[in-house]
Amino acid sequence: MVDLKSQYSHIKSAVDSAILSVIEKAEFINGPEVVSFQAELENYLGVKHVIPCANGTDALQIAMMALGLKPGDEVITPSFTYIATTEVIALLGLVPVFVDVDPKTFCLDPSKIEAAITEKTKVIVPVHLYGHAADMDPIMTIAKKHNLYVVEDNAQAIGCEYTHQDGTVSKTGTIGDIGCTSFFPSKNLGCYGDGGAMCTNNDQLAEELRKIANHGQKVKYYHEVVGCNSRLDSIQAAVLRIKLPRLDAYCDARRKAADFYDNFFSNVEGVTTPFRDKNSKHVFHQYTLTLEGIDRDALNAFLASKDIPSMIYYPVPAHKQKMFESFGCENQELPVTDWLTSRVLSLPMHTELEEDQLNYICSAVAEFIKK
Ligand SMILES: *Cc1c(COP(=O)(O)O)cnc(C)c1O
């Protein structure tokens, strides 16, 4: 699904010497590479504070911990997402309240949020799924009206731009109170291990996030709140500093591959290509088809027989996961989520896809459908 080896081959000498330099200086934890990367990411995103941490799941958890919530408080989230988004909610004793997604963007449907708001609702968590921005303006309006926090799950969409109704443009992850992202190797900005970050324009929240990620301390050995240990290590920061200046080019490469797929599949019956809303500059973390009247498992197996990987993200939506049994949400009506879950199939998508590879993949899909 991704080709990290070819990508590495283009940046090998820079990456190798950056990693070696961290080792030679033995600045493994909170070294200058982390400090520099933080500033460079703040600059790239156009946000006041970036707080690096150990992974994207931690970023979401620390964000929830920083909001002063109490057990039983409700958090509105899509069910059609990676499990990390919803898992941290339950882990903290909060209640995930699942809201359906938009059938075109696959992101939280703003028109369905208000019906899910109760006295206990405290947070909305939009997920910029597959690299497409959730429709943030109406979400922010609802949040303001009901005095709710917004925590963006930007793990799949770093680099994506959202155009507001007034024409101004923001990077996703910088619109809500806190944005969370992941540097897992296969993400659009991936390191060579685990990594993540939170960002915010709010000074007080930034201080809180930094404190929680560091054992609840601002001053060493004086612990104000119960926190955790969540750090981005210097070697990962060094790798990210080399890849960040290339992120826009990486996103362009993904969009170019998506254009090829879109063009090929425009006349293939039963296949719907990913929607690109005019307010979102899609960064194609995934390229996901919606199949109608096509046997998805058989297509997946056929592609595998031709050495073409394809994946279902995600085969079981969160509200039907056994881990959430105690919330009694498995029979909740989320028709778009259920509909998508049974129809989506993601094709290989990365920065190194060549035209002959794309041709081979597309032809194989078309061959299966014609059979
Ligand atoms: C990858 C991902 C996460 C978690 O990131 P990790 O770094 O793997 O912990 C959270 N949310 C979404 C939507 C993701 O895709």
Side-chain angles (χ1 to χ4, degrees):
M1 294 296 286
V2 294
D3 184 356
L4 295 172
K5 280 190 196 162
S6 305
Q7 193 191 62
Y8 167 62
S9 73
H10 299 300
I11 51 175
K12 182 177 177 349
S13 62
V15 166
D16 291 1
S17 64
I19 291 177
L20 260 181
S21 155
V22 172
I23 298 171
E24 278 161 2
K25 293 184 198 139
E27 294 165 332
F28 300 110
I29 302 291
N30 291 335
E33 295 287 344
V34 178
V35 178
S36 299
F37 172 65
Q38 179 189 308
E40 286 155 11
L41 188 57
E42 282 164 357
N43 182 48
Y44 174 83
L45 292 172
V47 74
K48 219 163 154 192
H49 306 279
V50 163
I51 301 96
C53 65
N55 56 67
T57 309
D58 273 10
L60 288 159
Q61 181 185 324
I62 295 163
M64 295 293 159
M65 289 169 78
L67 299 177
L69 309 178
K70 41 180 201 317
D73 282 349
E74 294 177 359
V75 180
I76 288 176
T77 164
S79 170
F80 193 64
T81 179
Y82 180 55
I83 199 63
T85 317
T86 52
E87 184 183 37
V88 299
I89 298 168
L91 185 71
L92 296 173
L94 308 167
V95 178
V97 173
F98 299 108
V99 166
D100 216 349
V101 292
D102 180 281
K104 283 168 145 174
T105 66
F106 308 157
C107 298
L108 205 54
D109 185 341
S111 74
K112 294 184 179 153
I113 292 175
E114 281 199 290
I117 293 175
T118 72
E119 307 250 279
K120 289 185 173 169
T121 309
K122 296 285 154 59
V123 192
I124 306 174
V125 184
V127 181
H128 306 299
L129 199 74
Y130 301 156
H132 189 288
D135 196 1
M136 290 305 291
D137 277 352
I139 292 172
M140 294 309 291
T141 303
I142 293 165
K144 266 198 197 85
K145 181 173 158 198
H146 297 271
N147 205 18
L148 309 174
Y149 289 109
V150 173
V151 174
E152 297 175 70
D153 184 341
N154 198 34
Q156 300 191 358
I158 193 160
C160 176
E161 286 173 354
Y162 175 80
T163 304
H164 298 275
Q165 281 153 9
D166 66 6
T168 58
V169 175
S170 302
K171 288 270 186 343
T172 53
T174 68
I175 302 165
D177 297 282
I178 304 172
C180 300
T181 201
S182 163
F183 306 124
F184 186 79
S186 64
K187 297 285 158 83
N188 286 28
L189 179 61
C191 58
Y192 292 172
D194 272 309
M198 301 154 283
C199 66
T200 182
N201 284 307
N202 180 317
D203 299 343
Q204 225 174 324
L205 275 178
E207 197 175 296
E208 206 60 29
L209 293 167
R210 210 171 279 286
K211 186 167 77 181
I212 292 167
N214 184 24
H215 297 294
Q217 65 189 343
K218 270 191 287 190
V219 179
K220 206 167 170 70
Y221 304 129
Y222 291 82
H223 306 275
E224 296 172 21
V225 294
V226 174
C228 54
N229 171 27
S230 191
R231 296 184 283 243
L232 179 72
D233 73 66
S234 303
I235 288 180
Q236 301 310 332
V239 172
L240 289 165
R241 288 192 67 202
I242 290 157
K243 290 180 74 171
L244 179 61
R246 295 170 169 83
L247 177 57
D248 286 341
Y250 288 156
C251 293
D252 285 340
R254 287 171 178 273
R255 271 191 292 266
K256 204 170 150 224
D259 290 344
F260 187 100
Y261 279 137
D262 276 3
N263 191 36
F264 187 96
F265 292 122
S266 61
N267 301 314
V268 178
E269 212 177 322
V271 172
T272 305
T273 56
F275 178 68
R276 305 188 202 190
D277 205 338
K278 60 181 185 316
N279 63 19
S280 169
K281 196 168 178 196
H282 206 318
V283 292
F284 287 100
H285 176 59
Q286 300 298 345
Y287 186 88
T288 305
L289 298 173
T290 315
L291 307 175
E292 203 68 64
I294 295 166
D295 183 340
R296 181 173 62 172
D297 290 340
L299 172 56
N300 172 266
F302 179 77
L303 293 175
S305 77
K306 299 193 160 248
D307 290 325
I308 300 169
S310 62
M311 293 285 287
I312 298 164
Y313 302 115
Y314 297 92
V316 183
H319 74 289
K320 291 196 167 144
Q321 294 287 353
K322 192 159 187 287
M323 68 154 71
F324 293 134
E325 217 169 44
S326 66
F327 292 105
C329 51
E330 75 207 292
N331 295 320
Q332 194 189 334
E333 295 255 335
L334 296 169
V336 179
T337 295
D338 290 336
W339 182 83
L340 285 173
T341 301
S342 65
R343 283 169 179 80
V344 288
L345 187 70
S346 299
L347 297 178
M349 173 51 77
H350 53 82
T351 58
E352 313 298 317
L353 278 165
E354 306 278 355
E355 215 159 283
D356 56 337
Q357 294 174 310
L358 288 162
N359 239 325
Y360 180 70
I361 297 164
C362 290
S363 308
V365 174
E367 184 189 335
F368 175 84
I369 292 170
K370 258 190 251 133
K371 274 206 292 192

